[in-house]
């Protein structure tokens, strides 16, 4: 089995923001030389998430609006007593820090309308760390 490990550093400019990392995922799979296996995309932060969806401007805004609706910042969350970002942790916990994408023919198996996003939930931040690891043969 072969592996290829890459760490991305991402800077964000808004509190909540979707950053398209599809090109980096595809490049990491391609340079790995791995024909068939899996690709893990993993964020090393508890106030972020990794998601796959369509890179359409309106939909990307809708996703952020849905997160605001489901995890309201102004509610009296207990974590806000020590750190004013409970809503960001909650969204991160329920959306999850990672995804696994199948790899075939040196490409991630992404559909026509699927892109991979880093989802910032408590920005702006510099130096967000996202790991892309490809494993296979
Ligand atoms: Zn916190």
């Amino acid at each position: 089995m072969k592996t290829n490990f890459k760490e991305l550093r991402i800077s964000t400019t808004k509190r909540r923001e979707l950053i398209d990392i599809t090109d980096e995922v595809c490049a990491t799979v391609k340079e790995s030389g791995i024909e068939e296996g899996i690709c893990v995309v993993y964020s090393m932060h508890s106030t972020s998430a990794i998601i796959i969806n369509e890179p359409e401007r309106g939909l990307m805004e809708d996703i952020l609006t849905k997160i605001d609706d489901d995890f309201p910042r102004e509610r009296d969350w207990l974590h806000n007593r020590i750190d004013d970002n409970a809503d960001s942790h909650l969204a991160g916990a329920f959306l999850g820090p990672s995804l696994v994408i199948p790899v075939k023919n040196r490409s991630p198996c992404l559909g026509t309308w699927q892109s991979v996003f880093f989802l910032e939930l408590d920005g702006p931040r510099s130096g967000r760390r996202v790991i892309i690891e490809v494993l296979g043969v």
Side-chain angles (χ1 to χ4, degrees):
M1 188 186 76
K2 291 188 280 189
T3 64
N4 187 31
F5 183 99
K6 185 185 276 185
E7 182 178 317
L8 305 181
R9 294 281 179 151
I10 298 172
S11 292
T12 59
T13 59
K14 298 172 188 159
R15 184 155 196 267
R16 288 189 177 153
E17 183 178 6
L18 283 160
I19 310 272
D20 193 328
I21 57 170
T22 310
D23 288 348
E24 289 86 349
V25 172
C26 291
T28 304
V29 171
K30 192 164 204 163
E31 78 191 20
S32 73
I34 291 168
E35 294 286 337
E36 193 166 339
I38 56 171
C39 175
V40 178
V41 184
Y42 173 75
S43 170
M44 294 182 62
H45 307 278
S46 59
T47 55
S48 70
I50 303 292
I51 66 167
I52 290 179
N53 222 289
E54 183 179 344
E56 190 275 317
R57 280 284 143 208
L59 178 64
M60 290 164 72
E61 282 299 314
D62 290 340
I63 288 169
L64 300 179
T65 300
K66 171 70 172 160
I67 291 167
D68 287 341
D69 288 350
D70 286 357
F71 304 98
R73 188 176 194 179
E74 58 279 1
R75 194 173 149 174
D76 186 24
W77 304 111
L78 298 178
H79 182 64
N80 286 344
R81 294 175 188 173
I82 60 154
D83 193 11
D84 189 31
N85 64 354
D87 60 313
S88 306
H89 286 278
L90 287 163
F94 283 91
L95 292 164
S98 67
L99 288 174
V100 176
I101 305 166
V103 169
K104 190 88 176 168
N105 302 324
R106 283 180 79 167
S107 299
C109 297
L110 292 168
T112 305
W113 308 111
Q114 287 186 308
S115 289
V116 184
F117 292 98
F118 172 76
L119 173 52
E120 175 61 80
L121 294 165
D122 192 31
R125 302 277 188 119
S126 59
R128 289 298 213 180
R129 299 167 71 185
V130 173
I131 289 165
I132 303 170
E133 184 161 28
V134 191
L135 304 97
V137 292

